[in-house]
Amino acid sequence: MQPSNSRKSPGGQKPGQEGISLKIFRGLISGLGLCVFAFSAFNVLSAEIDPDWLLLALVTVLVVSRIETSILKSSRAMTLSDTFLFTSALLYGPYASVLLAGIDATISAVQQRKRNVLLFNMAQKSLSIFASGSLVYILIDFRGPGMDAGRLALAAAILGLLHYILTSWMSTMALALEQRRSLMTIWHESFLWTSVLYFTGAAAAFLMVKLIAVISFYAFIVSVPILTIGFYAYKVYLDKVESSNHHAEEMAELHLRTIEALAIAIDAKDEVTHDHVRRVQIYSTGLARLFGLSDAEIEALKAGALLHDIGKLAVPDYILNKPGHLTPAEFEKMKVHTIVGAEILERVGFPYPVAPVVRHHHERWDGRGYPDGLRADQIPITARILTVADCFDAVREDRQYRKAMTQEEAIRFLREGGGTVFDPSVVGVFLDHLDEFEAEIR
């Protein structure tokens, strides 16, 4: 089974060294792959072509490679062609399989309208099949389909594993250069799960070769409808999963709109502009990604940025909108908003940890904050990030009790508070990337 990939690079990518690196990488792979394909084609065509292999190739190209399905939300397509490429490698060796792989990849790229990467895809698959097939013949005393089942199974497993490693990492490298993201992140997101497709294909190829050895070569034709039925049964399952995912996304979108409506109500009570929480959300999520936080933590910060002051619904208006400084008693009532906000959000049942963000966004690095007096690393990193983002934006807005600071004054305010009020590492990263955040806001 073969997953083919196509993922657009994120918007706003700047032309430059990354584009040159991608062209060099694709050119290198394309050049090597074309040489391997030409060498393999010469070896196959200069000898007498086995009519059985020709039949296998025609079935692969004309029938099997046209049976495909998209995989969930991805633009990737899954086909059965790798099963037949593995079968070809086990029966006829790497040269014949490289020729078949190159033709199959070319037809697949044309069929999926990916002519811009046609040469790269063809070369990539040719290189992978050549390397994995050659290593199988070198590592194992391979004696064709009549060999014992254990050795044949080992050959198929190694073939599937090597082909998966080579194909996934060449694709990962190309995507990393195109999208300017880390190799491991792209591989984990896009290719880790596809390993099951390669190993399933290798297992099917093993069974097909044994069937050929026991009955006759033409027995492989029987496997085509069987694999197709299984393939379409899996497609039906994927369609159901896709439908469930779509419903879940709609519910998540409704959830988010509800949160935003609640945030607007909070802002109106506190006489704070809704733009404030939007900016805080951009600052917070940007910082979270720079610190490498998990998806759940990033989602928690998105919601926390909108709802961190939800507890102010329990604070009297005369305190919230008092033009002068609060008395100690009034300040004690104001501090309750962190606890009340966390309690409200705990009852919502968010699938990510929003309540700790809201409860602890007024803690201080030196332990003199509220409500729990946590200090340094005792404070959740999400809350430390929100504190910096919220304070920086808040001091740049006019409030009843003070005038807004300029950007330079707000930057100085953060720097002076680093190590006492704020986590110094968060302040440092925030200020280093402030221009990027500001550009996103604009």
Side-chain angles (χ1 to χ4, degrees), residues 154-338:
L154 180 61
I158 293 175
L159 188 62
L161 175 62
L162 291 175
H163 184 50
Y164 163 64
I165 291 172
L166 292 170
T167 301
S168 64
W169 276 103
M170 280 190 281
S171 297
T172 298
M173 179 67 76
L175 287 172
L177 291 171
E178 180 182 4
Q179 299 175 10
R180 297 163 58 190
R181 299 169 65 211
S182 74
L183 285 168
M184 286 305 299
T185 299
I186 291 177
W187 182 78
H188 187 272
E189 288 178 354
S190 304
F191 298 102
L192 176 61
W193 60 270
T194 63
S195 59
V196 67
L197 304 179
Y198 290 88
F199 291 121
T200 301
F206 161 74
L207 294 175
M208 197 182 301
V209 171
K210 289 306 294 181
L211 187 66
I212 289 171
V214 172
I215 303 176
S216 74
F217 174 80
Y218 300 100
F220 90 90
I221 297 177
V222 177
S223 65
V224 175
I226 295 174
L227 287 171
T228 302
I229 291 170
F231 184 82
Y232 277 107
Y234 185 59
K235 182 180 186 300
V236 170
Y237 165 75
L238 289 180
D239 289 342
K240 289 182 178 179
V241 173
E242 176 69 13
S243 178
S244 297
N245 287 346
H246 181 66
H247 177 70
E249 287 174 356
E250 288 181 338
M251 294 304 296
E253 184 67 24
L254 177 61
H255 195 193
L256 180 60
R257 288 198 297 268
T258 303
I259 290 173
E260 290 177 343
L262 184 57
I264 292 171
I266 297 165
D267 295 341
K269 177 178 173 64
D270 197 17
E271 296 185 8
V272 175
T273 65
H274 188 54
D275 289 340
H276 166 67
V277 291
R278 279 298 188 186
R279 289 191 298 268
V280 171
Q281 190 180 59
I282 290 172
Y283 292 146
S284 298
T285 53
L287 279 168
R289 292 189 181 97
L290 291 169
F291 275 92
L293 300 193
S294 66
D295 290 342
E297 289 172 315
I298 292 173
E299 291 302 317
L301 265 171
K302 285 182 180 178
L306 290 172
L307 299 174
H308 62 280
D309 282 335
I310 188 174
K312 288 184 178 179
L313 293 171
V315 178
D317 289 346
Y318 79 89
I319 293 178
L320 288 177
N321 301 316
K322 184 177 179 179
H325 291 290
L326 301 180
T327 66
E330 290 170 339
F331 188 57
E332 288 301 317
K333 289 182 180 180
M334 173 65 83
K335 290 197 298 186
V336 170
H337 83 275
T338 56

Side-chain angles (χ1 to χ4, degrees), residues 6 30 43 72 76 102 123 129 166 228 231 233 276 298 324 401 413 441:
S6 168
S30 298
N43 277 276
L72 301 182
R76 305 182 196 286
I129 286 292
L166 292 170
T228 302
F231 184 82
H276 166 67
I298 292 173
Y401 49 89
F413 171 74
I441 289 170

Side-chain angles (χ1 to χ4, degrees), residues 393-407:
D393 195 77
V395 298
R396 293 177 65 191
E397 286 191 324
D398 285 324
R399 296 292 169 88
Q400 300 92 335
Y401 49 89
R402 60 161 172 77
K403 289 291 185 181
M405 292 184 183
T406 64
Q407 185 184 68

